[in-house]
Amino acid sequence: MLQADTGDHRSAGPDPGEGETEGRGPLAQDEDDIRHFGTLPDGSPVEAVTIRGGGATAVVLTQGARLQDFRLADVAHPLILGSPDLTAYLGPMRFFGAIVGPVANRIAGGRFMLNDRAFALERNEAGKTTLHGGETGFSQQNWNVSAVAPDAVSLQYIRPDGTGGFPGTLDVRARYSLDQSGCLTLEITAQTDAPTPFAPAFHGYWDLSGQGDLGAHRLHVHADTYLPVDGDQIPTGRVAPVAETPFDYRRPRELDPALDHNFCIATEQGPLRPVCQLSTSSLSLDVESTEIGLQVHAGGSLDTRPFPGHDGKPYGPGAGIALEPQFWPDTPNHPTFPNATLLPGATYRQITRFSARTG
């Protein structure tokens, strides 16, 4: 359980980063870098905030606390899949670039037990499972911008008790920042007023080639074990070695288009550690995280029609790969898995760094 602050992945309450200004006063950010992106069906506006640092540029939407675009100055194409159309993010691209939760991935049967009490959740996947927090998950919420700087933006979402069936009022914060080398860091923190499972994830789809397919990509994952799944993509409970299986990515190799599995990085959150590397002949993306698992989805089921991507055309199967540092899937229903329960008085903290470079 996440009970107390025990290391650099937890702290007592998030504050604006150095150089950030709370709110959005005229000195906080150039007006051109905070713009209206669209309007949600309920009439609320969605803002896009652009941050820059080290030759990199990132665009973050309030809707879903979503990374809508990420580019390097010396690369002609975006590195992450996204759309200029807000409506796309209410439909087939609902998870693209978003923070998903409060529990990422799947919860079997849309239910779990906590402290001898049964909780029923929104089952938003074929009426069987709860995927990425259900229909009212983080990706479909319009977050508030709480602090901005030229190289960072912080967002906040207060999630009322009982939303989607999850217990506890959550105060969730997300901070995207770029350092002098262009490295993108995402920090997610949260506090609760009641015990609740909490295991969010960043759900961006990466394409380093700009070609709309992953044929030229190679993946290296720092994991000796993975979680086998059943026909509904629910972990069986077994932790299996990757050796002599199609899931052995301990050395860089081409992607299996059907890959959609969790790799076991560790059993406890800890300091930043290497998780994976995605590479082509001209670009590489190194991912470090405090998280214990990495869900890799090779995008075999992607279909964003009729909505366009950054290149003006819909994305199809294999257009991008999701690299999602997170807790192990369906953890609330597996007593032998690491415990993702967040308790009152504790602060959850997740940090992930994405380092993209040419050459």
Side-chain angles (χ1 to χ4, degrees):
M1 294 186 185
L2 306 180
Q3 297 183 8
D5 296 343
T6 58
D8 64 359
H9 57 283
R10 302 182 190 128
S11 75
D15 295 313
E18 183 178 354
E20 288 182 49
T21 302
E22 291 196 44
R24 287 165 287 151
L27 298 180
Q29 188 80 320
D30 190 314
E31 288 185 2
D32 291 340
D33 291 337
I34 302 178
R35 61 183 176 85
H36 179 73
F37 187 81
T39 303
L40 292 170
D42 66 1
S44 58
V46 173
E47 292 180 308
V49 181
T50 300
I51 59 174
R52 299 177 177 86
T57 302
V59 179
V60 177
L61 303 185
T62 54
Q63 196 268 350
R66 187 184 309 273
L67 183 64
Q68 187 262 346
D69 201 354
F70 181 68
R71 300 176 187 245
L72 301 182
D74 53 354
V75 177
H77 56 82
L79 303 188
I80 200 161
L81 305 190
S83 177
D85 189 339
L86 175 60
T87 310
Y89 294 120
L90 307 180
M93 297 177 68
R94 62 178 61 86
F95 302 132
F96 281 47
I99 294 175
V100 296
V103 176
N105 218 304
R106 294 169 175 87
I107 296 180
R111 63 175 68 91
F112 65 89
M113 296 288 296
L114 180 62
N115 296 335
D116 297 322
R117 180 182 170 190
F119 291 89
L121 310 175
E122 297 169 343
R123 289 179 292 179
N124 62 323
E125 188 179 42
K128 294 182 178 181
T129 59
T130 299
L131 178 62
H132 299 322
E135 293 292 345
T136 55
F138 291 170
S139 67
Q140 294 306 297
Q141 305 304 318
N142 201 18
W143 297 46
N144 293 314
V145 175
S146 58
V148 289
D151 59 359
V153 57
S154 298
L155 305 100
Q156 181 183 24
Y157 168 51
I158 304 295
R159 183 177 175 88
D161 176 38
T163 304
F166 288 91
T169 300
L170 283 169
D171 182 350
V172 190
R173 318 276 181 109
R175 182 177 186 266
Y176 290 90
S177 62
L178 291 166
D179 66 17
Q180 293 181 350
S181 66
C183 173
L184 177 68
T185 297
L186 171 60
E187 181 177 5
I188 303 171
T189 59
Q191 296 176 324
T192 181
D193 63 0
T196 191
F198 191 75
F202 170 75
H203 200 291
Y205 285 97
W206 300 89
D207 171 20
L208 304 186
S209 70
Q211 299 301 309
D213 70 71
L214 299 171
H217 292 66
R218 295 168 68 84
L219 179 66
H220 175 203
V221 179
H222 297 273
D224 295 324
T225 55
Y226 79 104
L227 298 181
V229 296
D230 63 18
D232 293 324
Q233 291 295 109
I234 299 296
T236 63
R238 180 168 166 254
V239 179
V242 300
E244 300 181 359
T245 76
F247 304 99
D248 192 349
Y249 286 87
R250 291 177 295 177
R251 293 186 178 181
R253 68 180 182 88
E254 294 180 353
L255 288 156
D256 178 350
L259 184 61
D260 188 10
H261 288 75
N262 179 83
F263 292 87
C264 304
I265 305 299
T267 56
E268 293 183 352
Q269 282 183 301
L272 281 171
R273 55 199 158 207
V275 171
C276 69
Q277 182 187 72
L278 184 67
S279 61
T280 65
S281 60
S282 58
L283 272 171
S284 64
L285 176 73
D286 287 285
V287 182
E288 301 171 279
S289 184
T290 57
E291 295 310 280
I292 65 172
L294 175 73
Q295 184 78 13
V296 179
H297 179 213
S301 60
L302 294 184
D303 182 0
T304 71
R305 293 176 297 176
F307 300 104
H310 287 309
D311 62 357
K313 298 179 293 185
Y315 296 119
I321 179 172
L323 304 171
E324 310 165 52
Q326 60 185 250
F327 256 80
W328 298 0
D330 198 31
T331 289
N333 290 314
H334 291 273
T336 61
F337 284 6
N339 194 324
T341 304
L342 177 63
L343 298 178
T347 297
Y348 171 93
R349 171 169 278 117
Q350 174 188 141
I351 302 173
T352 299
R353 287 169 52 91
F354 302 97
S355 303
R357 63 181 184 274
T358 57

